[in-house]
Amino acid sequence: MDAQYNPRTVEEVFRDYKGRRNGLARALTVDVEDFFRQCDPEKENLCLYGFPNEHWEVNLPAEEVPPELPEPALGINFARDGMQEKDWLSMVAVHSDAWLLSVAFYFGARFGFDKNDRKRLFGMINDLPTIFDVVSGKSKTKAPSNNNHSNSKSKSSNKMQKTSEPRAKQPKPQPKEEDREDEAPDAGQDGGAIAGGGDEHGETLCGACGDNYGTDEFWIGCDMCERWFHGKCVKITPAKAEHIKQYKCPSCTGTNGSGSNKRARLSS
């Protein structure tokens, strides 16, 4: 679909892979309602494409024979109403993972990657959760914790909020209400979040795009499945999160991330 884009180095191919992967993961999680609607079984054979710019598209297969790039699974729409939605999404995720690998190693073969290049490319790819892991919840990650900040609300209050500004700019974050009473010397004791108390930021992955936790990014945790998401991935801003009481992610609500009955969790 975008055959004119030809990454030539291992790093360029990996960036291409990651962009396509993020687009496909978004289609099957954050944008799942829109994706489901577009996969009408009454239409012709449809494919799910991911693009390097992290966008996705449901469309007919390429007309060229053979195609310029490997093609994704054909006819994903036909099985939509014949199985449970969760199982159908998992099936599409598995085929999407296979397609991503085929595209990446197509570029590797085309531009003469040697054994070490191929090994390095696979290592970079293998460090990311698969789309199936993200969709099925197998990449369910521990909530972010920060040794520089203790949790700002207790578990019993059923609310958790942290400053979204870097610690260097706020050496003394202003807690709300009983924050000071609930602060512990080590944030790891309470996990820093209701979802599970991870000890290392590197183990925390976004439930939508699968990218690692970043201390300079806004995150929000789902109260149902206890997965964490970039605010940008679920279209929640820090300002909007201030008014959220209980947060349910798109997979748990079947929406695109908006609603009034939600709980916010902010991390810095």
Side-chain angles (χ1 to χ4, degrees):
M1 299 296 287
D2 49 347
Q4 293 183 352
Y5 176 73
N6 293 318
R8 295 174 179 269
T9 67
V10 172
E11 289 73 19
E12 288 176 344
V13 172
F14 177 67
R15 284 197 297 270
D16 178 273
Y17 171 92
K18 189 175 180 180
R20 295 176 189 273
R21 171 192 169 280
N22 289 349
L24 294 173
R26 178 179 293 274
L28 299 176
T29 55
V30 177
D31 298 339
V32 66
E33 193 174 77
D34 187 24
F35 170 68
F36 186 90
R37 188 184 69 254
Q38 291 189 37
C39 291
D40 186 349
E42 298 300 320
K43 295 183 178 179
E44 298 183 46
N45 292 308
L46 295 176
C47 302
L48 173 61
Y49 293 91
F51 300 106
N53 62 0
E54 301 191 4
H55 291 176
W56 60 272
E57 177 183 70
V58 173
N59 209 337
L60 296 171
E63 296 181 358
E64 299 87 0
V65 179
E68 288 294 323
L69 287 177
E71 284 288 298
L74 182 67
I76 57 172
N77 52 314
F78 294 149
R80 191 195 73 176
D81 295 341
M83 53 199 306
Q84 294 291 326
E85 180 178 346
K86 182 178 180 180
D87 294 335
W88 176 68
L89 292 174
S90 294
M91 180 197 72
V92 175
V94 169
H95 283 291
S96 296
D97 283 321
W99 177 66
L100 288 172
L101 287 172
S102 69
V103 171
F105 282 90
Y106 163 82
F107 285 130
R110 179 174 179 180
F111 297 113
F113 286 8
D114 60 20
K115 178 180 179 180
N116 290 332
D117 288 336
R118 294 192 300 271
K119 183 177 181 180
R120 187 155 63 96
L121 175 60
F122 181 76
M124 295 167 74
I125 291 174
N126 202 41
D127 283 339
L128 294 175
T130 64
I131 298 177
F132 175 75
D133 288 341
V134 173
V135 171
S136 65
K138 289 189 175 182
S139 67
K140 186 179 292 186
T141 57
K142 299 176 182 179
S145 65
N146 192 330
N147 289 332
N148 294 326
H149 293 283
S150 56
N151 46 308
S152 55
K153 297 242 178 191
S154 65
K155 280 187 180 181
S156 59
S157 68
N158 205 29
K159 242 182 185 181
M160 202 278 292
Q161 185 172 14
K162 288 187 177 183
T163 174
S164 58
E165 294 186 23
R167 186 172 182 267
K169 294 183 180 181
Q170 281 194 334
K172 293 183 179 180
Q174 296 299 319
K176 293 184 178 180
E177 300 173 3
E178 71 271 26
D179 286 1
R180 287 298 180 191
E181 298 177 6
D182 294 333
E183 278 191 333
D186 183 0
Q189 292 179 0
D190 235 358
I194 297 175
D199 294 326
E200 297 180 3
H201 293 159
E203 295 182 2
T204 301
L205 304 174
C206 175
C209 70
D211 278 355
N212 290 333
Y213 167 80
T215 56
D216 59 344
E217 297 176 298
F218 168 70
W219 285 61
I220 188 165
C222 176
D223 288 297
M224 302 301 293
C225 65
E226 296 188 342
R227 286 188 291 173
W228 283 78
F229 301 85
H230 291 109
K232 63 182 180 181
C233 288
V234 290
K235 302 174 184 177
I236 299 292
T237 64
K240 184 184 292 186
E242 290 285 346
H243 305 288
I244 295 176
K245 293 183 178 180
Q246 185 181 49
Y247 178 67
K248 295 181 183 179
C249 70
S251 297
C252 293
T253 62
T255 69
N256 287 327
S258 61
S260 58
N261 187 25
K262 301 174 180 176
R263 182 183 64 180
R265 299 171 179 167
L266 311 181
S267 297
S268 62

